Amino acid sequence: MSETGEYSDNLVTFLELIWGQGFMAPGGPDLVRDTVAGLDLKGKRVLDIGSGLGGPDIVLAQMGAKVVGLDIEAPVIERARKLVAANGVSDRVSFKLTKPGPLPFADESFDLVYSSGAFTQIAAKEAMFTEVRRVLKPGGWFAVYDWMKGPGPISDDMRYFYKVEGLTYAMETPSFHKRVLKKLGFDKVTVEEDGGWYRTEAHREHQLLAGELHPRVTELLGRQQADHFVENWRAMTVVLDKGEHRPGRWRARKPLAAAQTSKPNKTRKVTMARKVSAKAVLPVKIGGKGPKIDKATIAAPISGKPKTTTQNFYTDATGSFVSGIWTATKGKWAVDYGEEEFIYLLAGKVKLTAANGQSKTFKKGEAFMIPAGFKGTWETLAPIRKFYAIQDRRKK
């Protein structure tokens, strides 16, 4: 499930030519079955995040599941619905169009959350894993096959692969996935690479694209696009061979004990409502002298000599939520967000660039949200003044 709607009809046609009808990620039906091997899906409710053309959902339905496919691209969902109908499983597979962000389902709605090829394009992984845990029933499983990366900074070869691939990737290491899943309270967590299966498969696909399939791809998409995909696959084999591109799978369970804590305590809610009165609402005056202003200089900037000021108007009792006013002069520096931050620009202009090279620019009067897990650069293009609200879930 791309976060930016990047799958054109031509690209979808091409991917089906390589990976099979109904599939926008490698492996086909066999990989779907391997990813959920050992799980009894008969009569179970399954959510497929980034369901694409519906191929995996047909397989899951044939294994006895009732499947809801979730995607952000309407044309892709329409193609999926037609394929599901043609395979006679429309009574067991439905699709829902959504937007990037929280999952549009109630707590404890699913027995299994499945995905293939979607999470590699989702930057806010911790936030999405949290959502997965929320919608899983106690004892429910999270089973994924996806693309990950090796340790260390991204190399020029990987950047080139991202560029020719033309998709927004946000790959993380296997150890990152394991650490975050455990941190969020999943148990029975396993994260493993695929043993080089896709490395071998990608070389085979590259040979097909450069040889036997080249005339067909040229007929479908034109010579320039066909040659582009040959180079695309060559670039991918380079990073696969180097171990930077590391396909694999992970599986984790929402603990059965969660049943005791996942349901709200209505009595406790009523009691709290009685204790928290209007006196607890804190007025915040922005303007005038206000709180102390802390001044700082950005260490090791990439460009410029940026200076900042922070005027924090509110910190909660745990120290995990803060809000206030922050300013910065022109400059560029690296950022690595462990917290979530809502920003409203009162003045100035800023450019955010993710580690994969994708960037967005915001100016005075615009608001945006930076998710935990975002890595890249912050560039103040014109001196800014922002209102911030930060939630750091790592603090307790």
Side-chain angles (χ1 to χ4, degrees):
M1 182 167 64
S2 162
E3 291 189 317
T4 52
E6 297 164 322
Y7 288 104
S8 65
D9 283 343
N10 285 351
L11 179 56
V12 169
T13 301
F14 166 73
L15 292 177
E16 284 193 300
L17 182 64
I18 296 295
W19 290 327
Q21 187 180 33
F23 288 88
M24 296 172 68
D30 287 343
L31 187 61
V32 178
R33 287 188 282 266
D34 286 346
T35 303
V36 299
L39 301 179
D40 181 8
L41 301 187
K42 292 180 181 178
K44 301 297 176 63
R45 195 159 187 252
V46 175
L47 172 64
D48 178 8
I49 295 179
S51 52
L53 298 172
D57 306 307
I58 294 170
V59 177
L60 294 167
Q62 290 169 344
M63 296 175 72
K66 185 82 171 179
V67 187
V68 179
L70 190 67
D71 211 285
I72 66 171
E73 302 193 35
V76 171
I77 285 181
E78 286 307 307
R79 292 179 66 150
R81 287 192 175 116
K82 292 177 182 178
L83 183 64
V84 164
N87 280 269
V89 291
S90 294
D91 60 327
R92 284 170 281 162
V93 180
S94 63
F95 295 96
K96 186 175 181 64
L97 183 66
T98 189
K99 296 179 180 180
L103 297 173
F105 303 101
D107 296 358
E108 301 180 10
S109 296
F110 297 94
D111 300 286
L112 168 69
V113 173
Y114 167 90
S115 185
S116 180
F119 277 89
T120 191
Q121 295 176 257
I122 298 174
K125 287 181 172 53
E126 183 168 339
M128 280 303 296
F129 289 174
T130 301
E131 279 293 284
V132 167
R133 190 179 188 279
R134 179 183 66 78
V135 301
L136 276 174
K137 299 176 183 178
W141 287 90
F142 184 25
V144 178
Y145 181 87
D146 220 328
W147 288 358
M148 299 177 281
K149 75 176 187 71
I154 294 175
S155 71
D156 289 341
D157 286 331
M158 187 68 103
R159 289 192 185 93
Y160 179 68
F161 166 57
Y162 286 173
K163 180 179 178 181
V164 294
E165 183 79 348
L167 296 175
T168 306
Y169 284 137
M171 294 187 194
E172 290 288 356
T173 63
S175 60
F176 168 90
H177 290 83
K178 191 170 187 177
R179 173 176 57 82
V180 172
L181 288 167
K182 287 185 174 181
K183 169 188 171 183
L184 295 176
F186 286 93
D187 66 9
K188 298 187 181 298
V189 177
T190 59
V191 182
E192 57 186 13
E193 296 174 43
D194 68 8
W197 167 78
Y198 189 61
R199 181 171 65 248
T200 301
E201 185 67 8
H203 277 282
R204 185 188 70 81
E205 292 168 353
H206 176 239
Q207 291 172 1
L208 284 173
L209 287 170
E212 180 182 332
L213 288 180
H214 197 271
R216 176 59 176 151
V217 178
T218 300
E219 179 185 346
L220 284 170
L221 306 174
R223 179 61 182 267
Q224 183 177 357
Q225 192 76 339
D227 289 344
H228 170 84
F229 280 124
V230 172
E231 175 60 12
N232 185 175
W233 251 252
R234 185 203 66 79
M236 180 165 58
T237 62
V238 170
V239 291
L240 282 164
D241 288 343
K242 290 175 63 178
E244 282 194 84
H245 182 348
R246 298 188 177 184
R249 57 175 60 84
W250 67 83
R251 186 180 287 191
R253 188 185 72 161
K254 181 174 180 175
L256 287 166
Q260 300 173 5
T261 58
S262 59
K263 294 182 180 180
N265 186 318
K266 294 182 179 180
T267 302
R268 177 174 164 79
K269 274 189 172 182
V270 172
T271 302
M272 289 184 67
R274 289 171 180 165
K275 289 182 178 178
V276 181
S277 68
K279 293 180 179 179
V281 178
L282 302 176
V284 176
K285 296 180 180 179
I286 298 178
K289 186 176 180 180
K292 176 186 175 183
I293 297 177
D294 293 317
K295 299 180 180 180
T297 300
I298 298 295
I302 297 171
S303 65
K305 297 180 179 180
K307 296 182 179 180
T308 69
T309 67
T310 303
Q311 192 172 22
N312 200 65
F313 283 83
Y314 177 73
T315 302
D316 75 350
T318 68
S320 63
F321 179 80
V322 297
S323 62
I325 302 294
W326 185 85
T327 71
T329 58
K330 292 176 67 175
K332 181 179 181 181
W333 59 92
V335 290
D336 184 351
Y337 272 72
E339 68 278 11
E340 298 167 303
E341 181 177 14
F342 169 83
I343 294 171
Y344 176 75
L345 287 183
L346 300 166
K349 188 176 183 181
V350 62
K351 179 180 180 181
L352 288 173
T353 304
N356 59 16
Q358 297 289 323
S359 63
K360 290 186 178 181
T361 301
F362 302 93
K363 61 183 183 298
K364 177 184 176 181
E366 294 183 329
F368 53 100
M369 184 79 189
I370 302 178
F374 177 84
K375 297 179 183 179
T377 61
W378 171 292
E379 184 175 7
T380 302
L381 301 173
I384 70 165
R385 186 169 183 259
K386 73 177 185 182
F387 168 80
Y388 64 85
I390 296 173
Q391 177 74 58
D392 191 341
R393 301 183 190 277
R394 299 168 299 180
K395 298 180 178 180
K396 295 182 179 180

